[in-house]
Amino acid sequence: MADEAPFQFLHNELIQYIYKSAENVEAENGRNITKLENMGFRIGQGLIERLTKNTARFKDELDIMKFICKDFWTSVFKKQIDNLRTNHQGIYVLQDNNFRLLGQLSAGKQYLEQAPKYLAFTCGLVRGALSNLGVKSIVTAEVSIMPACKFQVMIQKM
Amino acid sequence: MADEAPFQFLHNELIQYIYKSAENVEAENGRNITKLENMGFRIGQGLIERLTKNTARFKDELDIMKFICKDFWTSVFKKQIDNLRTNHQGIYVLQDNNFRLLGQLSAGKQYLEQAPKYLAFTCGLVRGALSNLGVKSIVTAEVSIMPACKFQVMIQKM
């Protein structure tokens, strides 16, 4: 548990900082989400480069998604994605039943509206990782019961 | 190496973000350093609380410093402090011969002037950890040859 704490804590401070430095909270919310998403994107790019340095070439899109669910997720969150589903037409749903960056929020419905800002960074992370593997995508996240979380990846055909 | 990368990358992005959002770089530098130091402080407080949850009570100040050098440092940077020295009058020097947050900077003298912004967060981290253990301190850092780094802790007697 203590192992991923520095990362988690830093992530929380970052959110606080970005939100605090924005003046008008209502109007700025969208912009803050974008900032977090962009940071995630760049970090995702950097991380995937390191992780794939010595791996074999990926067979296909599904092979790439499996790598994201296993190796990539483990390197950041110290656990794998619990469930990967796909419609085989470019949509993938990654489900994490105990998403670490939501772990410090109370599990009730009370903080559900706070969830998006804790997910934006990770959406960017996945999008950045995929982008560096040559896969253009749109990544969104959805929470119904904390701390479980679903990330939906829509592959953009080029 | 990949293990601490998410933390490192996030730390770098944070620095970039704080510096980019400041308008006048010259004038803002001191304030940015303070922001980073404050974030480190709060994270240090949180981390030490987790880490000491099940440890025995510390014998004395030196015992606390040893804990910082070993357990605390390992939890954040995946390595121990390489050398701890003290004058037995409240000054401690913690030397890390391969400080991880400087690891991505080129090792020459070229970027020496960039070093302070990569150290401020960690100074705060140590100060926050000590503060939650009831030790008030001033922490400064100094780099002579990258990526080696010395942190000087001056205990403030109360």
Side-chain angles (χ1 to χ4, degrees), chain B residues 9 36 42-43 45 51 57 59-60 69 78 86 89 100 117-118 120 124 126 141-142 146-147 156-157:
Chain B
F9 284 22
L36 286 166
R42 285 191 298 274
I43 295 177
Q45 287 186 311
L51 285 175
R57 181 182 266 272
K59 278 202 314 264
D60 52 18
C69 293
K78 314 296 171 208
T86 176
Q89 287 174 13
R100 290 294 151 90
K117 63 182 181 190
Y118 289 88
V126 174
E142 153 190 343
M146 299 234 224
Q156 307 289 95
K157 296 291 172 206

Side-chain angles (χ1 to χ4, degrees), chain B residues 22 52 62 70 75 87 95 99 101 109 114 118 124 134 148 157:
Chain B
T52 53
L62 185 61
K70 288 184 186 166
S75 114
N87 67 350
Q95 184 168 337
F99 183 54
L101 297 180
K109 286 193 169 169
Q114 300 289 325
Y118 289 88
K157 296 291 172 206

Side-chain angles (χ1 to χ4, degrees), chain B residues 51-59 63-64 67 133:
Chain B
L51 285 175
T52 53
K53 207 172 55 178
N54 298 314
T55 53
R57 181 182 266 272
F58 294 109
K59 278 202 314 264
D63 204 27
I64 290 179
F67 186 82
L133 297 176

